Amino acid sequence: MNFSYETLIFFTLFFFLAAFIHGSIGFGFPMVATPLLALFTDLQTAIVLTFIPTLLVNMISLISEGDVFLAARRHLSLALYALLGSAVGTQILLSVNSTYFKGLLGIVILIYLLFEKTKLELSWIRVYPRLSKLIFGVSAGVVGGLTNVMGPVLIIYSLESKHSKSEIVQAANLCFLFGKIIQILLFTLNDEFTLNELSTSSVMLIVSSIGLYVGIALKKKINEKVYQKIIKALLFTLAAVLIIQVSV
């Protein structure tokens, strides 16, 4: 798919914004970048464009939180479940018209916002830790494979499991990393790449690196409450637009 110069300018802004948010809070790159890109293209193309920058963003976020090997041991099973689910979700995405999954992406974001608003408690997650890890890991992977956004499912799991902020960031990014690797493999095996998409994704790697650096640098200087309200308003708007796009 060939992109116009105007579209590439928008893409540059989207990748910078998504990386900046990710650097500021430790997660959120695919959750912001994917719905923004999906406003201008189909969901499969949006996912392909995020492949290379997402790998970089995930690895830097993992490393920035401390002992990577300890995090890998602690969250490996969750990440493997997410990989399994991502394989299933990605294969479905490659087999079915992705237009419908724009609406699913919007619904996933709304569920995340609703969960935070209502403060629901899922105590069974702590009562049955192994079962909940399997359910949420696979579910996050399937949703991630279909929409490129597994963050809401993982955040709900981590919050209910009483993980620390560092654990939340590392668990989420490890799952994203595993899910992205299997997604890239399946897209490659199904010949769903084009040279133009890969070159665009590679260029956006530079933009994402700058956005991530700025986000990390400003992490402690931003008013957290105001910042969260802005992000939630943006996510709500994006979710509404995606759902409207599919319904009309």
Side-chain angles (χ1 to χ4, degrees):
M1 180 180 291
N2 293 318
F3 304 111
S4 67
Y5 288 114
E6 291 82 3
T7 301
L8 289 174
I9 291 172
F10 279 113
F11 284 1
T12 300
L13 294 174
F14 296 160
F15 275 94
F16 180 88
L17 176 63
F20 171 79
I21 291 173
H22 193 109
S24 301
I25 62 177
F27 53 85
F29 181 81
M31 189 162 62
V32 175
T34 307
L36 284 170
L37 294 170
L39 296 177
F40 288 81
T41 185
D42 62 274
L43 192 55
Q44 285 190 25
T45 302
I47 290 174
V48 170
L49 291 174
T50 64
F51 276 162
I52 298 174
T54 299
L55 289 175
L56 171 75
V57 166
N58 290 159
M59 287 189 288
I60 291 178
S61 296
L62 266 173
I63 295 170
S64 67
E65 291 297 328
D67 194 332
V68 177
F69 295 106
L70 177 62
R73 289 197 300 271
R74 183 176 295 164
H75 306 298
L76 180 60
S77 58
L78 181 67
L80 289 174
Y81 291 141
L83 182 150
L84 175 63
S86 185
V88 174
T90 300
Q91 199 57 54
I92 295 173
L93 175 66
L94 292 169
S95 305
V96 182
N97 188 340
S98 64
T99 301
Y100 300 110
F101 298 122
K102 283 189 178 183
L104 176 60
L105 175 56
I107 291 170
V108 169
I109 294 173
L110 289 178
I111 290 174
Y112 166 64
L113 296 174
L114 179 64
F115 181 86
E116 280 209 330
K117 191 73 174 177
T118 56
K119 303 297 183 181
L120 292 173
E121 290 192 6
L122 304 174
S123 58
W124 64 271
I125 291 176
R126 294 187 298 278
V127 177
Y128 305 103
R130 291 184 179 179
L131 177 62
S132 61
K133 184 176 290 187
L134 170 63
I135 292 173
F136 277 88
V138 173
S139 298
V142 171
V143 173
L146 289 171
T147 68
N148 208 33
V149 176
M150 63 173 70
V153 180
L154 293 172
I155 291 170
I156 291 171
Y157 168 77
S158 292
L159 290 175
E160 290 299 315
S161 299
K162 305 302 181 185
H163 288 166
S164 66
K165 182 180 177 181
S166 179
E167 286 178 314
I168 293 174
V169 171
Q170 290 190 312
N173 279 282
L174 191 65
C175 289
F176 294 156
L177 189 60
F178 275 49
K180 192 56 57 182
I181 290 171
I182 191 64
Q183 210 172 34
I184 291 173
L185 176 62
L186 289 174
F187 267 75
T188 303
L189 291 174
N190 285 274
D191 294 321
E192 290 295 333
F193 287 122
T194 68
L195 182 60
N196 186 48
E197 289 167 352
L198 285 178
S199 60
T200 302
S201 183
S202 299
V203 171
M204 294 305 160
L205 179 66
I206 301 172
V207 177
S208 300
S209 300
I210 297 172
L212 187 67
Y213 174 80
V214 175
I216 292 174
L218 296 178
K219 198 174 195 178
K220 297 179 181 180
K221 300 180 181 179
I222 302 174
N223 185 302
E224 190 170 342
K225 289 185 178 180
V226 174
Y227 184 65
Q228 287 182 355
K229 287 181 180 179
I230 294 172
I231 293 175
K232 289 175 183 177
L234 172 63
L235 289 174
F236 179 82
T237 303
L238 291 174
V241 171
L242 287 171
I243 293 171
I244 292 171
Q245 275 190 338
V246 174
S247 61
V248 296

